[in-house]
């Protein structure tokens, strides 16, 4: 008997944050790649989820509501995903709006810094590119700089200007990991440490667990086999659940990554069992 294994992708951005695919395009792409389930995890917004769920109706594709928060620790940042969140909580939506507004103010400041260096770019250009009412971020800015010919690649924009240690970088509204995890828990989500390999500060994990972290993203596009094995091992050691995804940004970072990280469906099943416990 031929056994068809089922796969999921639990970390995907839409054009409601810094991805380039609409929620409908994400669903179409996931179906094309024969995925069984996806999670929509935009930065600081849940606005793309409803459309993705609507587009998935009668297709057999499961869409898990999610979010990605950036949190600050000392001199580095970590990203925390919330999976299975309730997207209708008014208090939660209010907080997200505040975070997104601060992103807009921060974008203005980064643009002022770029202008001071003689680079002509305006907030209007960035918003025309991103669309209004989206969670605006550095990838939008980088793409505008690239399209205008100020840099020869998106990567160069980060390396020369807006990377964390570069001259035109401005911090987002500062949220601690504890606050990010608490926000996720308030809306009955599972808090997942995103791409721990890119943070490379494993020593922070026990503290995050005390603050309510439940899972770790062992499978990620930036994790090679060794990294994945390392985080699968850490998950076992700390009794954490596992998650995984491509972190697809459409063509935002080059080409679509959706479906390129092979995450077995069993990973989602274990997360679902944890979600049932949360809802009890
Ligand atoms: P922000 O949340 O506005 O600080 O922007 C962070 C986002 O920028 C990340 O989620 C990525 O999508 C993107 N990003 C960060 N560093 C890079 C990089 N070196 N190359 C391409 N995209 C990047
Ligand atoms: Fe992003
Ligand atoms: Fe991230
Ligand atoms: Zn992401």
């Amino acid at each position: 008997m031929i056994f068809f294994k089922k796969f999921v992708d639990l970390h995907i951005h839409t054009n409601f944050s810094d991805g380039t695919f609409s929620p409908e395009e994400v669903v179409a792409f996931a179906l094309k790649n024969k995925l069984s389930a996806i999670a929509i995890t935009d930065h600081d917004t849940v606005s793309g989820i409803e459309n993705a769920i609507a587009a998935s109706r009668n297709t057999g594709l499961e869409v898990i509501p999610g979010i990605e928060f950036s949190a600050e620790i000392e001199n580095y940042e970590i990203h925390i995903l919330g999976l299975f969140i309730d997207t209708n909580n008014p208090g939660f939506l209010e907080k997200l709006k505040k975070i997104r507004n601060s992103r807009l103010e921060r974008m203005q400041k980064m643009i002022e810094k770029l202008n001071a260096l003689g680079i002509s770019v305006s907030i209007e250009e960035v918003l025309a590119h991103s669309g209004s009412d989206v969670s605006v971020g550095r990838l939008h800015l980088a793409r505008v700089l690239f399209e205008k010919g100020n840099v020869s690649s998106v990567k160069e924009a980060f390396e020369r200007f807006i990377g964390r240690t570069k001259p035109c970088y401005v911090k987002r509204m500062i949220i601690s990991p504890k606050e990010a995890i608490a926000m996720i828990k308030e809306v009955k989500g599972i808090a997942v440490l995103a791409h721990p390999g890119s943070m490379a500060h494993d020593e922070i994990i026990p503290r995050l667990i005390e603050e309510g972290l439940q899972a770790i993203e062992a499978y990620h596009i930036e994790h090679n086999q060794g990294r994945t094995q390392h985080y699968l091992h850490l998950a076992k050691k700390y009794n954490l659940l596992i998650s995984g995804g491509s972190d697809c940004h459409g063509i935002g970072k080059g080409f679509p990554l959706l479906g390129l990280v092979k995450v077995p469906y069993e990973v989602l099943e274990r997360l679902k069992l944890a979600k049932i416990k949360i809802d009890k």
Side-chain angles (χ1 to χ4, degrees), residues 11 13 43 68-70 77-81 194-195 198 217 220 247 249 253:
H11 187 161
H13 295 267
H43 301 282
E68 180 169 25
F69 288 125
S70 311
E77 70 174 61
I78 64 168
H79 291 181
I80 297 175
L81 299 169
H195 41 72
S198 58
E217 193 175 45
H220 186 271
D247 210 350
H249 283 72
K253 294 183 181 185

Side-chain angles (χ1 to χ4, degrees), residues 111-219:
I111 284 169
E112 279 163 23
K113 286 190 164 201
L114 284 160
N115 293 162
L117 287 186
I119 291 155
S120 133
V121 59
S122 68
I123 188 83
E124 288 77 21
E125 284 171 317
V126 175
L127 294 180
H129 173 91
S130 67
S132 56
D133 212 31
V134 309
S135 189
V136 71
R138 282 182 289 160
L139 193 55
H140 296 120
L141 177 56
R143 288 187 66 80
V144 170
L145 293 175
F146 169 59
E147 281 162 18
K148 293 185 65 176
N150 289 306
V151 289
S152 56
S153 68
V154 162
K155 192 163 168 257
E156 190 190 321
F158 282 91
E159 283 170 357
R160 281 179 59 199
F161 302 115
I162 55 173
R164 212 182 147 82
T165 57
K166 305 303 170 188
C168 303
Y169 176 74
V170 176
K171 275 190 180 171
R172 271 177 259 91
M173 177 178 152
I174 294 180
I175 304 173
S176 69
K178 193 175 177 174
E179 286 169 311
I181 293 169
M183 275 195 279
I184 291 165
K185 290 197 157 296
E186 267 168 37
V187 289
K188 296 183 177 299
I190 296 177
V192 184
L193 179 60
H195 41 72
S198 58
M199 137 187 112
H201 280 279
D202 290 356
E203 76 285 353
I204 200 73
I205 293 173
R207 171 184 143 187
L208 298 176
I209 294 170
E210 268 175 37
E211 293 172 350
L213 187 81
Q214 278 189 278
I216 186 167
E217 193 175 45
Y219 303 95

